[in-house]
Amino acid sequence: MDKDLEAGLQEEPAENGHVWSAEHTDNDLSFHAVQAVNVSVRDLSVNVDVSPGRIRAFAAAFRRRRQRPIETSKRILDHVSTSMPNGNLTAILGGSGSGKTTMLHALSNRVGGNRLHTTRDIRYNGNGRISSIRSAYVMQNDVLIPTLTVRETLQYAAELRLPPPTSSDERHQVVEDVILELGLKECADTKIGNNVHKGCSGGEKRRTSLGVQMLANPSVLFLDEVTTGLDAASAFQLVKTLKLLARKGRTIIVTIHQPRSEIWGLLDRLVLLSGGVTVYSGSAQQCLPYFEDIGYPLPPFVNPAEFLVDIAAVDNRSPDLEKDSSARVEMLKQAWRKGSGDRTFWLADGRFDIEPGAVENQPGTTQRYIGRQIRVLTARTFKTTYRDPMGMAGSIIEALSMAIITGWIFLNLDGSLAGIRSRQGALYTAAALQGYLILLFETYRLTIDIKLFDREYAERVVTVPSFLISRRLARVFVEDLPVPLIYSIIFYFMVGFDARASQFFVFFSVNLLMHYIAVTLAMLCVSVSRNFAGASLIANLAYTLQSLGCGYFVQSNQIPVWMRWLKWTAYVFYGFGAMAANEFVGHTSSPAGRIYDCPAPGGSSNPACEEYTGAYQMQSLGFPSQWITRPILVLLAFAIAFYVGAAVILRYDKVVIRISRGLQTDIDTSLGKEDLAAKSLDNRRSVRIALQGYSLDIQKRDWMLTKSETKSILKPIKTVFDPGVLNVIMGPSGSGKTSLLNVMADRVQDSLSTRYKRSGELTFNGAVPSPEVVRSICSYVCQDDDALLPCLTVRENLRFAAALRLPTCLSKEQKHQRAESVLLKMGLRDCSNILVGNELIKGISGGEKRRVTIAIQILTDPQVLVLDEPTSGLDAFTASSIVTVLKGLAEEGRTLILTIHQARSDLFQHFGNILLLARGGSPVFAGKGSDMLPYFASLGFHCPTATNPADFALDLITVNLQHADKEAATREKVRSLILDWDSSHPPITHTPSRISAPAELGSLVRSQTSFATAFPLLCRRSFLNFRRSPPAQVARTTQVLGFAVILTLFFAPLQSNTYSIQTRLGFIQEFAALYFVGMLQNVAVYPTEKSVFYREHDDGAYGVAAFFLTYTFLEIPFEIITSLLFALLTVVAAGLPRTINLFLIVAFNCFAIVNCGESVGIVFNTLVEHTGFAVNITSVLLSVGTIMGGIMSLDIPSFLQAWNHLSPIKWSLGNLAPYTLRGVVFTCPDDEAKCMGPRSGEEVLKLYKLDTNSGLNLVALGVCVVVYRLVAWALLECRRRRWAWSAWFGTWRKASQ
């Protein structure tokens, strides 16, 4: 082992105050040796175009809103030069907005976009292409499959990333080594999980992501904030692993936020950035002497990394501090520039002494092994498919329900003229509508699954062909064959089609091909647009083109000449044609085809029976007579063409990191501008929270709700959380910190599959509070900041929050003053007019988002403030500032309870009470922070003088899973610590406070803001956020308008001959497609808005009625506008009678159907958290309503006819048909003697049983609009009040006891 490594490891803290030797980290990972790669950087500069878009810039100039020149460019990195030799661990440090992540992206060639301008000269062993080496990148966010376990995730990663000559046994050994090295042994068989189904903790997911990239065995490993979300002990173990990898010849480059002091000793090289400019680059050992030489020596007992970040950051706590720190940073920049001319940053293609073994010299790709990729991806996709029961069940249930219900609608069709018309509807349903439902579901599912492909493809781990082929191979026997087979068997024989095997086989073959066309078209749509709003828009418009060109709704010879060619590009034309030929003229030798039940004598020889022949039906639909084999071959070509098209787009249209035009700033300009005034605890009502034997178990049931298992999350805890001080909960990953906060703040809800079982007592000032009291007293700050509206500024978010949360007795001015006071208190004044931002709109920094979230929670001056990881993801300087803010809030008399992963050494002194939890939720210490070290010292564990006490405590209670002998020793140590605490901690005594319990606790229940106050505020807020969000505008407007344009192109102008009867009916039937448009608009908008509402409703801000009516109020104007435009196109352009009466009727029908579709979407997206399952079930119901509208099926069973009265489609078609057909006379274009069928609109209405009271049907449609929305409202109300589940849980509890 080299001397540098020994120096970095020799001061590692150990149990009982001893020192671990360097041999402790020398775990032998079973990797092949790699090619040594030197990375050299010269004059790296990155500029981003921040000028506003043309429309926004024009509007700003026109309104004279800008009194100063518009900033057009911002420099993120400024001539950065450095060298990163192989065998070294290089860290990029800096404060918020220093450009760390941007530099890492540039080094790994992961940034793109036409507004980003990069000048660089980066070489990898002298080569300018990163593809010439094997590299890997660990992102900040974890892209993992939630249904796989940790071991399975790593095993599949090894199969994909470790190419031959690595054997299967070697890959298995490497996976086990990585599991041990990263401390994942105890969670190796735990599923990753997500926000719906809990699995691994955040720290375990982070380490799994690192393990996935380690398995690529790269020469260069880039890691972006890899220790974020990890506790201090796990972070230290992880960096030791990185050091071990570097020691074996790799080049490790990492950005890191809050490195503990021991991590500093592991770093070989360092790049320190300030505002995108280098202030130091070189050896970590020479760094501190360099800064000492220029007048900045390291103070005693200070973490060197924290010291460097502090001196390289601008301190905004006061004008004087800002001036001084700015001058200091500028001096550091100049000092580095002055000496940089004497430095060289180019490294030769040197060699590193690596261990013997086969060196992997392949470039950074494993794409040549496509056969193994297909095998591995197929196995992985198959496993994730059957482990997603809601997704797989959704497909099977869709096929079953759609087949049974539609088969019932078309049950045992006879040979009458009405039966023949219904047969056409049945064939269209099978050929087109069933495939459309598959298209919608697969589109949604792909928008989720494509994220993993994008990442693996960017890493050159998989190829496009292997991804596309494996996706279908994995689902052949679980979806692709069962779904069309189940549908075909049930539907075919219920309808009463011919029972000959050959005819059924053709029917099934077409269904199977239409299924494959649907899934391949979905892939094509998602390859064009990765978000569901865009992909569903493309899919829906594409399907509309397909359905209109198929010849069912509009006869082929009735399509306008300029659009008639489209039928040859419509796959539904071939599918519907093949099914029609199979039914009407196939499998018979008669030239007239199949002959149905003609009431006239003579059969096909009688001209009166011509309509009853299959040949006539084929002619009326515009299909050739022999139309089975060729269409099937064309359908196969369509499926292949769509997949090839998707492959081409995925291959060349790569997803890269783009910086949006909304960039304002990413520097936290609010640090230190807090205005906190400590209040005596005697002057405010304070709350002392006590836990007496408090524990938590989770009981989970399988998807069939038949089997259950119970897992212990928290062991019995006895502790107190006092007001006026910081109460800190610490522990390693999986210790139950977040779970404890969630149950204390009453933020967990039982569901059908999960039940939370609490034991012991949670008391506020000695009294057990009700859930209403808990929610009123406690404000909860989650780890994420997703409750902030991204298109509002900081001030707007706070003002709206103040208006919604503060009592109505305060005036508007008083609420604004309160918001401004909190804004100043939290140091947010300098960023108050900047948009919050999101992944599309870059706004304020992460530290400022954390402050805004905290600010919103303290607007109501809560007695208790609960915070989950408030410093996670923040650099050391920003984290220190936030803890200072929290300490000031506590000194105002609040009870602050927070979890924390990695605490700076100078922050421990601020911790008033500490609860220390070991993995598994067992308490190890609970008491005053000042008593923790003496307590452990009494047990023989002494904290070294120069060690951070928080790091020492976490090291002490963390089980070392990297080595078997170490694991046994540390596990026994932790077990003894748990037993020592269980037997020694003193009983909890109640301390009198300003609140008497329980009467005065009940008086603290805070009522929600009234509807009269909340509704106008929510409308203003939502409209402002919507107006600044172009994607939301597109989702709301483009579906209806795009559909109207396509409808007009196909039907304009409507003719008045006998051939146009079916075309006019098809035109009316197409209005039913608006049902799906409403649902798709809802799926694109509602889930996001619902999540914000759920968070604010949990905080008791406002009620369901205010949110629901706000959503409806903002939805309706867009529906009205688009409906009027729809009516303008369809009435005026299509050729309907141009009367104001009919114009308004068409507009109302469009509005009503879209609105009902939105309501159905609200219902199922409220009841079901699995959006894909909701899309599947909703689509089935909408399809049934479409089929039973009255045109596609003429004889509906009486039972379904009764249910059909609930469908808006029935009432819509029931009024549109009379209004558009009455008075129309159909002429015969040919010989009058040969003209068959109805000759007037009234006869058509009678044939299709649509000659009803059109005015009454219009009223009924309006009633449907109101009733559907009221039902959606009631279900949302039930869901939030938990009424709907009480009976289920009562039965469950009795059964489980």
Side-chain angles (χ1 to χ4, degrees):
M1 182 179 295
D2 60 24
K3 295 181 179 180
D4 290 340
L5 180 60
E6 291 176 356
L9 297 177
Q10 64 182 358
E11 296 301 328
E12 181 179 332
E15 33 196 309
N16 297 321
H18 297 294
V19 177
W20 288 335
S21 67
E23 295 176 356
H24 170 76
T25 64
D26 198 9
N27 191 21
D28 186 18
L29 291 173
S30 307
F31 288 118
H32 285 273
V34 298
Q35 176 189 16
V37 176
N38 296 320
V39 181
S40 302
V41 183
R42 177 181 288 176
D43 293 332
L44 171 62
S45 296
V46 177
N47 295 316
V48 61
D49 178 11
V50 296
S51 59
R54 294 179 181 179
I55 297 177
R56 190 173 298 176
F58 174 79
F62 179 78
R63 297 174 186 175
R64 300 180 181 273
R65 288 184 175 178
R66 295 185 181 271
Q67 303 299 324
R68 55 186 174 83
I70 299 175
E71 185 182 8
T72 60
S73 179
K74 178 180 179 180
R75 176 155 291 187
I76 302 177
L77 292 175
D78 187 8
H79 294 91
V80 176
S81 299
T82 187
S83 60
M84 301 170 180
N86 65 77
N88 283 261
L89 173 58
T90 302
I92 305 174
L93 298 180
S96 179
S98 61
K100 304 184 298 296
T101 299
T102 302
M103 181 176 177
L104 202 66
H105 287 163
L107 291 173
S108 58
N109 195 29
R110 296 179 64 86
V111 290
N114 54 8
R115 297 192 308 102
L116 198 67
H117 307 286
T118 304
T119 57
R120 58 186 171 188
D121 194 349
I122 305 175
R123 301 183 187 178
Y124 313 90
N125 279 349
N127 193 316
R129 295 185 304 109
I130 194 172
S131 58
S132 64
I133 64 168
R134 186 188 297 279
S135 65
Y137 189 99
V138 180
M139 303 167 62
Q140 286 192 36
N141 56 318
D142 303 309
V143 183
L144 303 169
I145 300 176
T147 54
L148 294 181
T149 66
V150 171
R151 178 175 279 109
E152 290 168 344
T153 298
L154 296 177
Q155 190 63 51
Y156 285 125
E159 294 284 342
L160 289 171
R161 286 168 166 80
L162 292 177
T166 311
S167 66
S168 176
D169 291 339
E170 288 175 326
R171 289 193 293 271
H172 176 76
Q173 185 59 48
V174 169
V175 168
E176 295 303 318
D177 290 345
V178 168
I179 288 174
L180 290 176
E181 185 67 25
L182 296 179
L184 295 169
K185 180 180 178 181
E186 292 190 346
C187 66
D189 297 315
T190 302
K191 291 181 181 178
I192 298 295
N194 54 22
N195 58 341
V196 178
H197 302 285
K198 300 300 181 184
C200 294
S201 67
E204 291 164 345
K205 291 179 182 178
R206 201 80 193 96
R207 283 176 278 163
T208 303
S209 293
L210 173 59
V212 167
Q213 299 304 325
M214 285 174 56
L215 288 168
N217 197 20
S219 294
V220 181
L221 180 60
F222 302 97
L223 306 103
D224 192 11
E225 306 296 351
V226 71
T227 61
T228 294
L230 302 183
D231 59 85
S234 298
F236 182 44
Q237 291 178 358
L238 189 149
V239 177
K240 286 191 297 180
T241 300
L242 297 179
K243 178 66 177 180
L244 175 64
L245 293 173
R247 184 168 64 92
K248 295 189 174 184
R250 296 166 181 83
T251 305
I252 310 296
I253 306 170
V254 57
T255 64
I256 193 165
H257 266 152
Q258 303 178 56
R260 55 187 281 181
S261 54
E262 291 80 12
I263 289 178
W264 172 262
L266 301 177
L267 303 180
D268 297 306
R269 298 185 65 81
L270 187 71
V271 178
L272 183 62
L273 299 175
S274 179
V277 179
T278 308
V279 294
Y280 179 79
S281 175
S283 168
Q285 292 183 348
Q286 299 174 6
C287 178
L288 296 179
Y290 165 79
F291 282 101
E292 185 173 0
D293 291 342
I294 61 176
Y296 294 96
L298 175 69
F301 305 109
V302 174
N303 184 339
E306 295 171 358
F307 164 72
L308 293 176
V309 173
D310 288 346
I311 66 171
V314 176
D315 193 341
N316 296 301
R317 301 186 185 187
S318 68
D320 291 338
L321 288 175
E322 184 173 357
K323 179 180 178 181
D324 294 342
S325 60
S326 298
R328 179 188 69 236
V329 169
E330 186 61 30
M331 189 277 291
L332 293 176
K333 294 177 181 178
Q334 293 299 330
W336 182 253
R337 287 196 187 102
K338 183 177 179 181
S340 61
D342 301 329
R343 304 182 183 95
T344 178
F345 299 101
W346 294 118
L347 294 174
D349 185 11
R351 286 288 178 263
F352 188 87
D353 293 333
I354 55 179
E355 298 177 0
V359 177
E360 294 181 357
N361 292 308
Q362 302 98 325
T365 179
T366 61
Q367 293 187 355
R368 74 183 75 176
Y369 309 106
I370 187 170
R372 192 172 72 177
Q373 286 180 31
I374 293 175
R375 177 179 56 81
V376 175
L377 291 176
T378 299
R380 188 177 71 180
T381 306
F382 178 78
K383 184 169 290 185
T384 57
T385 299
Y386 77 75
R387 283 189 181 171
D388 180 20
M390 295 292 284
M392 192 170 70
S395 298
I396 302 299
I397 291 174
E398 181 274 326
L400 281 170
S401 57
M402 190 69 178
I404 293 172
I405 297 175
T406 57
W408 196 358
I409 294 172
F410 298 104
L411 185 64
N412 291 326
L413 295 176
D414 57 25
S416 66
L417 200 57
I420 295 173
R421 295 283 191 270
S422 294
R423 284 176 187 271
Q424 293 180 4
L427 293 172
Y428 173 80
T429 299
L433 204 51
Q434 168 65 12
Y436 178 57
L437 305 191
I438 300 298
L439 171 65
L440 292 183
F441 175 64
E442 182 69 9
T443 299
Y444 172 78
R445 185 163 58 178
L446 271 171
T447 56
I448 298 174
D449 296 346
I450 199 70
K451 297 175 183 177
L452 181 61
F453 163 76
D454 285 335
R455 177 168 181 175
E456 292 181 334
Y457 182 63
E459 296 166 352
R460 299 186 294 277
V461 173
V462 301
T463 60
V464 172
S466 63
F467 167 67
L468 297 179
I469 295 172
S470 65
R471 186 170 180 85
R472 298 276 50 94
L473 286 178
R475 293 189 164 97
V476 167
F477 298 108
V478 293
E479 286 184 10
D480 292 350
L481 280 177
V483 168
L485 183 60
I486 290 171
Y487 179 83
S488 297
I489 292 175
I490 297 175
F491 182 77
Y492 187 89
F493 293 104
M494 286 187 71
V495 172
F497 291 132
D498 197 304
R500 279 179 290 191
S502 59
Q503 189 166 331
F504 171 77
F505 179 75
V506 172
F507 181 87
F508 167 69
S509 300
V510 175
N511 256 322
L512 179 64
L513 287 172
M514 296 299 285
H515 176 92
Y516 273 108
I517 288 175
V519 295
T520 55
L521 178 58
M523 181 66 73
L524 181 63
C525 295
V526 174
S527 67
V528 175
S529 176
R530 296 296 200 271
N531 63 81
F532 181 73
S536 65
L537 171 64
I538 298 170
N540 203 37
L541 295 183
Y543 172 77
T544 303
L545 285 170
Q546 299 290 323
S547 63
L548 291 179
C550 74
Y552 177 68
F553 293 110
V554 52
Q555 290 183 352
S556 300
N557 56 2
Q558 295 288 310
I559 300 175
V561 175
W562 59 86
M563 298 294 294
R564 197 168 296 173
W565 60 273
L566 280 175
K567 73 176 183 180
W568 303 109
T569 66
Y571 65 84
V572 179
F573 172 75
Y574 298 95
F576 180 48
M579 284 192 172
N582 185 54
E583 167 63 20
F584 293 126
V585 297
H587 313 283
T588 179
S589 58
S590 173
R594 184 174 177 181
I595 302 174
Y596 293 92
D597 302 335
C598 178
S604 59
S605 59
N606 188 339
C609 292
E610 185 177 0
E611 284 187 281
Y612 292 84
T613 63
Y616 178 85
Q617 298 303 322
M618 292 293 291
Q619 181 183 1
S620 67
L621 292 171
F623 294 125
S625 58
Q626 300 299 322
W627 197 240
I628 296 179
T629 304
R630 281 177 294 172
I632 289 178
L633 295 176
V634 174
L635 290 176
L636 180 61
F638 264 107
I640 296 173
F642 284 150
Y643 236 28
V644 171
V648 171
I649 297 175
L650 292 173
R651 170 65 178 83
Y652 294 103
D653 186 21
K654 298 181 180 179
V655 176
V656 295
I657 297 173
R658 302 178 187 274
I659 299 180
S660 68
R661 190 172 294 279
L663 181 63
Q664 301 260 3
T665 181
D666 57 358
I667 299 176
D668 194 341
T669 57
S670 63
L671 298 180
K673 291 185 172 62
E674 302 87 9
D675 181 20
L676 304 177
K679 299 179 182 179
S680 171
L681 297 186
D682 295 332
N683 296 328
R684 66 175 289 129
R685 298 187 295 181
S686 58
V687 177
R688 186 173 189 258
I689 300 177
L691 302 179
Q692 292 276 9
Y694 199 73
S695 64
L696 174 68
D697 295 334
I698 294 182
Q699 184 179 4
K700 287 192 174 183
R701 289 197 159 193
D702 60 13
W703 68 280
M704 296 183 66
L705 304 179
T706 56
K707 298 180 180 180
S708 65
E709 61 175 337
T710 301
K711 181 178 180 181
S712 177
I713 304 299
L714 294 169
K715 302 300 190 296
I717 299 172
K718 293 183 181 180
T719 189
V720 294
F721 301 110
D722 291 317
V725 297
L726 291 181
N727 301 277
V728 179
I729 303 174
M730 296 193 302
S733 297
S735 59
K737 304 184 296 296
T738 299
S739 297
L740 178 58
L741 293 187
N742 286 335
V743 293
M744 287 176 59
D746 194 31
R747 289 303 197 273
V748 295
Q749 294 184 15
D750 292 343
S751 66
L752 289 176
S753 60
T754 304
R755 178 189 171 197
Y756 296 89
K757 302 173 66 174
R758 306 167 181 84
S759 302
E761 279 191 346
L762 166 68
T763 61
F764 285 13
N765 295 333
V768 178
S770 66
E772 292 78 11
V773 170
V774 172
R775 288 175 176 266
S776 296
I777 293 179
C778 297
S779 289
Y780 188 38
V781 179
C782 301
Q783 285 192 39
D784 50 25
D785 304 305
D786 56 1
L788 302 176
L789 294 173
C791 296
L792 298 185
T793 65
V794 170
R795 175 173 278 113
E796 288 167 344
N797 267 286
L798 280 174
R799 286 192 172 187
F800 279 116
L804 289 169
R805 294 165 187 259
L806 293 177
T808 54
C809 60
L810 299 178
S811 66
K812 177 180 178 181
E813 290 72 19
Q814 290 174 317
K815 292 180 179 179
H816 284 180
Q817 288 176 2
R818 173 64 178 166
E820 292 297 322
S821 172
V822 173
L823 187 113
L824 179 63
K825 178 180 294 186
M826 297 302 298
L828 295 167
R829 181 178 57 189
D830 292 342
C831 64
S832 60
N833 294 318
I834 299 175
L835 297 181
V836 169
N838 56 13
E839 68 277 3
L840 298 177
I841 304 173
K842 187 69 171 70
I844 59 178
S845 69
E848 288 163 339
K849 285 184 180 180
R850 286 270 78 192
R851 288 165 176 257
V852 175
T853 303
I854 296 171
I856 288 175
Q857 295 299 331
I858 67 172
L859 279 169
T860 56
D861 198 20
Q863 280 78 21
V864 180
L865 185 59
V866 180
L867 307 101
D868 192 11
E869 302 294 347
T871 63
S872 181
L874 306 180
D875 62 85
F877 185 62
T878 306
S880 175
S881 176
I882 282 190
V883 172
T884 301
V885 171
L886 297 178
K887 184 174 183 295
L889 294 174
E891 289 174 349
E892 291 184 335
R894 298 177 179 85
T895 304
L896 261 75
I897 308 171
L898 64 146
T899 62
I900 195 165
H901 267 151
Q902 302 176 45
R904 284 177 55 136
S905 54
D906 56 348
L907 296 182
F908 183 79
Q909 58 184 325
H910 298 308
F911 297 170
N913 291 323
I914 294 177
L915 171 61
L916 201 58
L917 297 175
R919 183 178 176 86
S922 299
V924 178
F925 174 81
K928 294 185 178 299
S930 58
D931 295 338
M932 186 183 74
L933 295 183
Y935 169 75
F936 286 127
S938 68
L939 299 177
F941 301 98
H942 299 275
C943 178
T945 306
T947 299
N948 183 345
D951 295 342
F952 165 77
L954 286 172
D955 290 337
L956 198 61
I957 63 172
T958 299
V959 177
N960 189 331
L961 301 174
Q962 295 176 316
H963 305 270
D965 54 343
K966 294 287 185 181
E967 178 184 352
T970 54
R971 194 179 295 278
E972 178 60 29
K973 177 193 63 178
V974 173
R975 190 184 68 83
S976 66
L977 289 171
I978 295 172
L979 294 176
D980 288 338
W981 178 253
D982 286 340
S983 61
S984 65
H985 64 269
I988 298 173
T989 58
H990 173 60
T991 301
S993 68
R994 294 279 299 168
I995 299 180
S996 59
E1000 196 170 348
L1001 275 177
S1003 68
L1004 292 176
V1005 175
R1006 186 176 68 249
S1007 60
Q1008 293 178 341
T1009 302
S1010 66
F1011 172 81
T1013 301
F1015 177 67
L1017 288 170
L1018 289 173
C1019 287
R1020 283 182 53 207
R1021 186 181 73 171
S1022 297
F1023 179 75
L1024 192 60
N1025 188 67
F1026 179 84
R1027 182 169 63 85
R1028 296 173 182 170
S1029 176
Q1033 297 169 17
V1034 170
R1036 278 280 179 219
T1037 58
T1038 53
Q1039 293 269 12
V1040 174
L1041 294 181
F1043 179 72
V1045 170
I1046 295 175
L1047 206 61
T1048 303
L1049 289 175
F1050 270 90
F1051 286 95
L1054 289 172
Q1055 300 178 22
S1056 299
N1057 54 52
T1058 53
Y1059 292 134
S1060 69
I1061 294 176
Q1062 187 165 338
T1063 299
R1064 284 180 175 266
L1065 292 172
F1067 177 75
I1068 297 170
Q1069 177 66 42
E1070 278 296 319
F1071 276 67
L1074 293 168
Y1075 215 5
F1076 290 92
V1077 169
M1079 183 268 289
L1080 294 175
Q1081 290 182 174
N1082 175 265
V1083 173
V1085 177
Y1086 178 74
T1088 303
E1089 297 196 7
K1090 180 188 71 173
S1091 64
V1092 174
F1093 162 65
Y1094 278 10
R1095 185 70 58 84
E1096 293 181 328
H1097 189 258
D1098 286 339
D1099 293 336
Y1102 52 88
V1104 172
F1107 161 74
F1108 192 85
L1109 290 183
T1110 298
Y1111 180 86
T1112 302
F1113 184 76
L1114 291 180
E1115 164 205 344
I1116 287 177
F1118 288 95
E1119 291 175 349
I1120 292 176
I1121 294 172
T1122 54
S1123 296
L1124 292 174
L1125 293 174
F1126 177 90
L1128 184 66
L1129 288 170
T1130 54
V1131 174
V1132 177
L1136 292 176
R1138 297 175 182 177
T1139 64
I1140 187 64
N1141 186 42
L1142 187 58
F1143 174 82
L1144 293 177
I1145 288 172
V1146 170
F1148 177 73
N1149 275 271
C1150 174
F1151 164 81
I1153 297 173
V1154 172
N1155 189 273
C1156 288
E1158 283 260 9
S1159 297
V1160 175
I1162 292 173
V1163 167
F1164 284 95
N1165 278 298
T1166 299
L1167 291 177
V1168 183
E1169 293 296 333
H1170 194 294
T1171 307
F1173 185 78
V1175 168
N1176 245 338
I1177 300 303
T1178 307
S1179 298
V1180 170
L1181 293 179
L1182 301 189
S1183 299
V1184 171
T1186 298
I1187 297 169
M1188 294 195 304
I1191 293 177
M1192 295 179 66
S1193 176
L1194 302 185
D1195 293 308
I1196 302 176
S1198 57
F1199 177 77
L1200 291 179
Q1201 189 64 265
W1203 278 101
N1204 196 28
H1205 285 76
L1206 302 176
S1207 170
I1209 303 301
K1210 170 183 172 58
W1211 307 114
S1212 177
L1213 301 187
N1215 76 79
L1216 282 172
Y1219 279 123
T1220 57
L1221 288 174
R1222 280 176 182 161
V1224 178
V1225 177
F1226 298 104
T1227 61
C1228 183
D1230 302 318
D1231 185 1
E1232 288 283 345
K1234 295 183 178 181
C1235 277
M1236 304 289 179
R1239 300 296 295 271
S1240 68
E1242 285 75 9
E1243 292 180 19
V1244 174
L1245 293 175
K1246 185 177 180 180
L1247 174 64
Y1248 284 87
K1249 302 177 183 178
L1250 294 173
D1251 52 342
T1252 56
N1253 189 325
S1254 55
L1256 187 61
N1257 291 338
L1258 198 63
V1259 172
L1261 180 61
V1263 172
C1264 278
V1265 172
V1266 176
V1267 171
Y1268 272 48
R1269 194 51 57 102
L1270 289 177
V1271 170
W1273 184 355
L1275 286 174
L1276 181 61
E1277 191 79 51
C1278 288
R1279 186 63 186 267
R1280 295 310 295 165
R1281 291 178 181 266
R1282 310 178 194 178
W1283 295 341
W1285 317 122
S1286 58
W1288 291 86
F1289 288 132
T1291 305
W1292 184 4
R1293 288 190 178 99
K1294 291 178 181 178
S1296 61
Q1297 289 175 354

